[in-house]
Amino acid sequence: MDEIQGTIYDVVFRNEQNGYSVIELECERSLITAVGYFAYVNIGETIKLYGTWVQHPDYGRQFKMETYNTVTPSTLYGIEKYLASGLIAGIGPHTAKKIVEKFGMDTFDIIQYYPDRLSEVEGIGSKKAAKIFEAFQEQKELKDIMMFLEQYDISPTYAVKIYKTYGANTIAEIKENPYKLADDIFGIGFKMSDRIALAMGIPMDSEYRISSATKYSLNWFHGNGHTYAPQEELCRITAELLGVEEEVISENIIKLFINKQLVVETLGDMRAVYSTTFYKSEAGVSRRLLQLRLYNPSKLNGDVEEELQKLENSQGITLAENQRTAVKEAMNNGVLVVTGGPGTGKTTTIKTIIDLLERKGMSVLLAAPTGRAAKRMQEATGKEAKTLHRLLEFGYGESDEEMFFQKNEDSPLECDAIIVDEVSMIDIILMNNLLKAVAEGTRLVLVGDVDQLPSVGPGNVLRDIIDSESVPVVRLNEIFRQAQESLIVVNAHKINNGEAPILDQKQKDFFFMKQDEQGAIVSTIVELCRERLPKYYKTSFMEGIQVLSPMKKGPCGIISLNIELQKILNPEAPDKKEKQFRDFTFRVGDKVMQVKNNYKMKWQSIVDFEKEGEGVFNGDIGVIINIETEEQIIEVVYDNEKLVRYDFALLDELELAYALTVHKSQGSEFPILVMPVTFGPKMLLTRNLLYTALTRAKQTVVLVGSEKYVHQMITNNHITKRYSGLKTRLIKMAEML
C-alpha cells in the first residue's frame, strides 16, 4: 500500500450523502488528484493518505485512497490555508492572514489554549475571539466523531446532525444505545441505527432492538396521519422488518404497555396501540370538547334575532338562512362547528359573529394554524388574528428539550369567545392543547372546510368531530351570487360533487391548457411562470404566482419543477452567493419553505429591530437574502419581516418552494395558481386533492395537462383511511351525558 501526504488545495467534487470526494492535494509543489470516501475534508487541511495509484481512462493518474488521517499543518502557508477554508466559523481569508501574521507557528496553540489573545489581532473583539475558540473546539470534536461514524457508513451530513444533538458525548451516547438515534435525529430511521447496532455487536434478539423497531413502526403510522396502529398490523410490519415471529413483537408490546411506554386499548373489535402522547391527546380532545359543550356561555341581553336584524341593517348585508343559523348557534352554544366550501360565506359569518359579540361588550380572539392562514383571517375580518402557537404562548421549560404551551387549563385564555379558522389543518396534538386553554363558559367556534385534505399531522380532527354529531354543526352550502361569477368557485364545487368542471370557457379566472406529454407540460409551466403570467397580470412570480403539484417525484413532481423553475427565475450568476446541498443548490433570492416544526429557531424582525421570537413552522415560506460561507449560515426572511439564520447543519429543514405539493399548500392562499395534471400515483390523484388545490387560488387557476387525468381525479373519490379513535370516543362519551 502506497502512502502520500499533502495539503488539500481544492475539493473538486464531494457527495455529501456518502462522503465520496475528488480532491487536489498539494504535495511537494505539485498537484495530485486523490479519490475516495472521506468523512471530513476541507481546503487547507494536511492529510496522510494510504492507498494505491490507478490510471483513470479519462482523468489520468490518480491516488485511490483506502484510509487516511489528518495531520496538523506544519507550515505557515498550511496553517493560513486551513484557517481560511471556511472550516471555522468567524474566520475567512482576510482574518486568517492577520492571525497567522501575528502568531505564526503558535497559531493553533493560541486558539486552543489562549483564545483571549486573539483580541490582539485588529478586528477581533472578545466576543469574536470566544466564537472562534468554540468553533475550533467543535471542529476537533466533530472530526473525531465523523471518523468514528464513518466506520458505520454514516454520511457526513448525518454525522454533523448527530454531533449537534449530543455534542462531545456523541460517541459515548451511541455506544450505550445506538437505537436512540432513530428517536432523536430527524431523518435517521430505525434501519440506519439498526445497522450501527448490529455492527457494534448488539444481538439480533436484543430487547433494545425489538422495542426500537416497534416504536419505529408505530411512528410510521403516526407519520402517515394515524393516531394509533391496529395491533395486528403493527405486529406484522415490525416482524417483517426484523425477520422475527409476530408473537415476539406481541409479547414486547405487552412489556412496553406494562412499562407505560405505549397504550393498548380496545376500540370496537380492534386492539389499538397508541404512543402515550397521541392517546392522551385524543382522550383529552374528546373529554374537553364535551365539557365545553355542556357549559353554556353567558347569555346575551336582548333577543338574538332582533340584534341580528339590526346588525344586518347597519352593515347593509343580508345573511343566508344557514349563515343566520350559524350566528345564532354561536351565541347560544359553548362549541360550534361551521363548515363550507369556497364562496359559501364563511368569512361573512365570522365577521357577523364578531360584530354581534363586540356590540355586547364581549372580547373575541381569532386564530388559525399557520402564519399565512392567520394573516388571511386578519385581512378578511379587520381584526388581529394569531397563529395557534402564538395564541397559546409556546415556550420552554427549565431545559431546552421541555417544550410546552404556557396557556393551558391552569392559565386559560382570557376572553369571551375564540374563533379558529382552517380547522381542517389542525392535528390531534394541537387541538388538545387549544382545548386545554379554553376556559369553561367561553364560546368556541371552529371554522373549516371538511372536504379539504386532512391535517399533515396525525388525526382527522374536523371530520371526526362533525361525523360524531356530538356538538352542533352548521353547514354552509349556498354559493353566493358574487362567488358564482368565479369559475374557480364554480369548478371547485363541481369537482367536490363529482361533476366535470368547465374547462373551455374563456376570459374567466380558470384556464385549462391541453398538453399530453410530461416534457411539454413542464415547458409550458416554465414559460407561464417566466413571462406570460407575470406580464399579463402585472406581477412577479415571487409576489403572485405559485406552482402546485400532487406529487414529489417524476418530471412534473416538485423536485424536478423546482430545479427547472430555479433555472429561469433565479439563475446562477457571479454575484449570487450559493450553497450546494444534496442534489440541489440554495441561492440568494431563492423561494424556500421550512419543512419541519422547529420551535427553538430564533427570529428577529427586520421591521422592528427590538422585536424577536422563537419558532419557524412546517409550511412557512420565505426568501433567502444572504449566504455567509465564512459564518456557515443562510439567512431567510419570512412574511417580509422575520429574519432567521440557518446553520448549514440545519439545511435539511429547508426546501426550494417555487413548486409545492398540494398537501404543503394547506392554509395558504395564492393569487395565481399553476398546476400540472398528468399521470401519477392513484393514491395522490384524488378528488379532494384537486378540490383542495383549487381552493388555494384567490384570483386565477391554470391547469396544464390532460383532460383525461382531470376526470380520473374527479372519479377517484378515495379518501385514505386514517386510524383515529376520536369519533368513537366522542360518540361514547356523548351517550353517557
Side-chain angles (χ1 to χ4, degrees):
M1 185 175 289
D2 296 316
E3 173 187 322
I4 62 172
Q5 179 173 317
T7 301
I8 299 175
Y9 178 79
D10 191 18
V11 179
V12 179
F13 170 80
R14 180 166 176 79
N15 184 326
E16 290 293 343
Q17 294 306 296
N18 58 23
Y20 181 80
S21 306
V22 179
I23 66 173
E24 286 187 336
L25 203 63
E26 194 171 12
C27 301
E28 298 178 353
R29 299 186 180 180
S30 64
L31 289 179
I32 293 171
T33 299
V35 300
Y37 294 89
F38 293 84
Y40 196 71
V41 288
N42 269 279
I43 294 171
E45 280 191 291
T46 300
I47 57 177
K48 183 178 288 188
L49 310 183
Y50 305 89
T52 56
W53 290 98
V54 296
Q55 188 69 28
H56 192 280
D58 296 322
Y59 302 112
R61 194 167 185 251
Q62 297 179 339
F63 191 83
K64 186 177 180 181
M65 181 275 297
E66 297 295 333
T67 185
Y68 76 101
N69 55 51
T70 58
V71 179
T72 303
S74 57
T75 66
L76 293 178
Y77 170 77
I79 294 171
E80 182 180 333
K81 198 167 182 63
Y82 176 80
L83 293 178
S85 66
L87 180 67
I88 300 173
I91 301 180
H94 183 64
T95 304
K97 185 176 181 64
K98 290 197 295 184
I99 292 174
V100 174
E101 285 177 350
K102 177 70 176 176
F103 300 114
M105 296 301 297
D106 295 328
T107 294
F108 288 143
D109 285 341
I110 294 295
I111 295 174
Q112 185 170 2
Y113 302 114
Y114 310 102
D116 290 347
R117 289 197 59 195
L118 288 171
S119 58
E120 296 174 17
V121 177
E122 183 183 356
I124 299 180
S126 57
K127 286 186 178 179
K128 187 169 184 177
K131 185 176 181 181
I132 291 171
F133 167 71
E134 289 172 6
F136 187 80
Q137 290 295 102
E138 183 177 289
Q139 291 306 319
K140 287 186 62 182
E141 293 170 355
L142 180 56
K143 197 171 297 184
D144 292 339
I145 287 162
M146 293 183 90
M147 297 294 284
F148 168 77
L149 293 173
E150 184 189 27
Q151 63 186 311
Y152 303 113
D153 294 325
I154 301 299
S155 74
T157 300
Y158 282 124
V160 172
K161 294 187 70 171
I162 293 169
Y163 173 73
K164 291 288 184 183
T165 301
Y166 303 126
N169 296 323
T170 296
I171 295 174
E173 293 273 2
I174 293 174
K175 283 183 175 180
E176 180 184 351
N177 179 14
Y179 289 105
K180 70 188 306 180
L181 291 171
D183 297 329
D184 299 341
I185 311 297
F186 178 64
I188 292 185
F190 167 79
K191 291 182 180 179
M192 190 182 294
S193 59
D194 191 43
R195 190 180 71 237
I196 298 171
L198 295 178
M200 294 174 66
I202 290 181
M204 294 277 287
D205 60 353
S206 162
E207 194 165 308
Y208 270 140
R209 185 171 187 252
I210 295 169
S211 296
S212 179
T214 303
K215 293 175 185 176
Y216 168 76
S217 298
L218 184 54
N219 283 333
W220 179 88
F221 279 91
H222 296 329
N224 283 275
H226 308 291
T227 58
Y228 69 84
Q231 184 168 329
E232 284 189 11
E233 287 189 42
L234 181 62
C235 288
R236 176 178 54 78
I237 290 173
T238 309
E240 289 175 359
L241 178 67
L242 295 179
V244 300
E245 296 297 321
E246 291 184 26
E247 289 77 10
V248 174
I249 308 302
S250 183
E251 290 172 4
N252 185 256
I253 288 174
I254 294 171
K255 290 180 182 178
L256 291 171
F257 171 64
I258 292 171
N259 293 330
K260 297 183 179 180
Q261 294 184 54
L262 296 178
V263 175
V264 181
E265 186 178 59
T266 300
L267 290 176
D269 57 355
M270 179 194 303
R271 283 172 67 84
V273 182
Y274 284 86
S275 295
T276 306
T277 299
F278 290 104
Y279 174 79
K280 289 181 177 179
S281 294
E282 199 172 88
V285 168
S286 55
R287 180 181 65 253
R288 190 64 182 152
L289 200 64
L290 293 177
Q291 283 178 340
L292 292 171
R293 193 200 79 176
L294 285 175
Y295 281 89
N296 292 323
S298 55
K299 297 294 183 182
L300 296 179
N301 295 325
D303 182 74
V304 173
E305 178 65 40
E306 183 180 332
E307 294 293 329
L308 186 53
Q309 188 63 55
K310 289 179 182 178
L311 193 148
E312 284 182 301
N313 293 337
S314 65
Q315 298 286 349
I317 60 172
T318 301
L319 299 178
E321 191 58 38
N322 280 354
Q323 287 179 303
R324 298 177 69 85
T325 301
V327 175
K328 292 177 186 177
E329 291 292 311
M331 299 303 117
N332 297 321
N333 289 282
V335 180
L336 172 69
V337 174
V338 180
T339 186
T344 56
K346 294 193 297 294
T347 299
T348 301
T349 303
I350 292 172
K351 289 175 68 175
T352 305
I353 292 171
I354 296 169
D355 288 345
L356 201 55
L357 289 170
E358 288 186 341
R359 285 180 177 224
K360 294 298 181 179
M362 295 188 176
S363 58
V364 184
L365 295 177
L366 307 183
T370 67
R372 284 179 171 261
K375 187 176 181 180
R376 289 198 298 112
M377 191 182 192
Q378 184 166 312
E379 290 170 348
T381 62
K383 305 289 183 180
E384 182 185 19
K386 299 179 179 179
T387 63
L388 285 170
H389 285 85
R390 186 176 163 211
L391 180 76
L392 299 175
E393 297 181 14
F394 176 83
Y396 298 98
E398 293 182 2
S399 73
D400 284 347
E401 301 302 318
E402 186 184 349
M403 302 179 291
F404 68 101
F405 291 101
Q406 296 178 66
K407 289 297 179 183
N408 49 42
E409 56 267 69
D410 298 322
S411 177
L413 295 163
E414 296 180 3
C415 61
D416 297 300
I418 302 168
I419 303 176
V420 184
D421 199 8
E422 295 282 5
V423 176
S424 63
M425 295 180 64
I426 301 179
D427 62 33
I428 192 69
I429 291 178
L430 186 55
M431 179 59 77
N432 184 42
N433 281 291
L434 169 64
L435 295 180
K436 284 181 184 179
V438 181
E440 294 167 356
T442 300
R443 292 171 173 81
L444 176 64
V445 181
L446 303 173
V447 184
D449 186 345
V450 73
D451 294 316
Q452 288 187 16
L453 292 169
S455 60
V456 175
N460 210 7
V461 175
L462 181 60
R463 184 173 292 278
D464 280 352
I465 293 173
I466 292 173
D467 290 349
S468 72
E469 299 180 351
S470 59
V471 299
V473 176
V474 177
R475 298 176 185 270
L476 304 180
N477 48 28
E478 180 181 335
I479 305 176
F480 287 91
R481 184 180 303 170
Q482 184 177 358
Q484 289 175 357
E485 296 175 3
S486 167
L487 207 52
I488 297 175
V489 173
V490 171
N491 278 341
H493 283 277
K494 280 181 172 291
I495 289 167
N496 199 36
N497 294 328
E499 302 171 15
I502 301 167
L503 299 178
D504 57 357
Q505 192 167 329
K506 306 297 182 184
Q507 303 303 319
K508 276 282 189 175
D509 54 4
F510 189 102
F511 300 92
F512 181 78
M513 301 184 70
K514 187 178 184 302
Q515 293 287 359
D516 292 324
E517 298 295 327
Q518 293 199 346
I521 292 172
V522 173
S523 297
T524 301
I525 290 174
V526 167
E527 183 57 29
L528 284 167
C529 295
R530 174 170 55 188
E531 187 171 351
R532 293 173 64 179
L533 291 174
K535 184 176 180 181
Y536 185 81
Y537 289 101
K538 296 179 173 56
T539 186
S540 68
F541 178 90
M542 295 299 219
E543 291 177 354
I545 304 169
Q546 181 63 56
V547 177
L548 299 184
S549 176
M551 62 209 90
K552 286 187 174 182
K553 298 179 180 179
C556 293
I558 64 163
I559 295 173
S560 175
L561 285 170
N562 270 315
I563 292 172
E564 295 303 315
L565 290 167
Q566 184 191 45
K567 287 178 185 176
I568 59 103
L569 296 171
N570 190 29
E572 183 180 3
D575 61 338
K576 283 185 184 175
K577 295 180 181 179
E578 56 183 45
K579 167 66 178 173
Q580 185 73 28
F581 182 73
R582 294 181 178 170
D583 296 329
F584 55 91
T585 301
F586 287 124
R587 187 172 297 140
V588 170
D590 275 338
K591 186 177 186 180
V592 292
M593 172 182 272
Q594 172 79 11
V595 295
K596 175 194 175 188
N597 286 338
N598 189 328
Y599 301 101
K600 300 179 185 179
M601 185 72 82
K602 298 182 185 299
W603 57 263
Q604 184 174 23
S605 173
I606 60 174
V607 179
D608 179 358
F609 294 111
E610 294 184 359
K611 184 179 178 183
E612 57 185 26
E614 293 178 332
V616 185
F617 303 106
N618 189 358
D620 286 352
I621 296 175
V623 177
I624 295 176
I625 63 165
N626 187 31
I627 298 176
E628 279 295 341
T629 304
E630 185 171 312
E631 299 292 333
Q632 299 181 29
I633 60 169
I634 286 182
E635 295 182 332
V636 179
V637 170
Y638 292 98
D639 298 324
N640 296 316
E641 179 186 6
K642 297 177 182 177
L643 173 65
V644 177
R645 293 180 172 88
Y646 288 83
D647 186 280
F648 282 177
L650 296 175
L651 292 187
D652 59 349
E653 295 187 12
L654 281 180
E655 288 182 1
L656 294 176
Y658 299 101
L660 306 174
T661 61
V662 177
H663 286 81
K664 286 289 188 182
S665 72
Q666 288 177 268
S668 298
E669 189 176 72
F670 312 102
I672 303 166
L673 184 151
V674 182
M675 185 170 117
V677 185
T678 184
F679 172 80
K682 188 176 180 181
M683 62 180 292
L684 293 178
L685 301 186
T686 63
R687 182 189 299 177
N688 74 328
L689 184 140
L690 182 58
Y691 170 76
T692 300
L694 264 58
T695 61
R696 300 303 90 204
K698 187 176 182 180
Q699 179 183 347
T700 303
V701 166
V702 182
L703 300 183
V704 183
S706 170
E707 193 170 338
K708 175 178 75 171
Y709 291 108
V710 174
H711 293 297
Q712 278 191 17
M713 293 180 81
I714 294 168
T715 55
N716 182 13
N717 196 27
H718 173 73
I719 297 175
T720 303
K721 177 176 175 57
R722 286 194 166 190
Y723 293 121
S724 166
L726 181 60
K727 175 184 172 181
T728 302
R729 292 181 195 283
L730 284 168
I731 291 172
K732 282 186 177 180
M733 292 185 71
E735 288 173 350
M736 296 168 60
L737 299 178

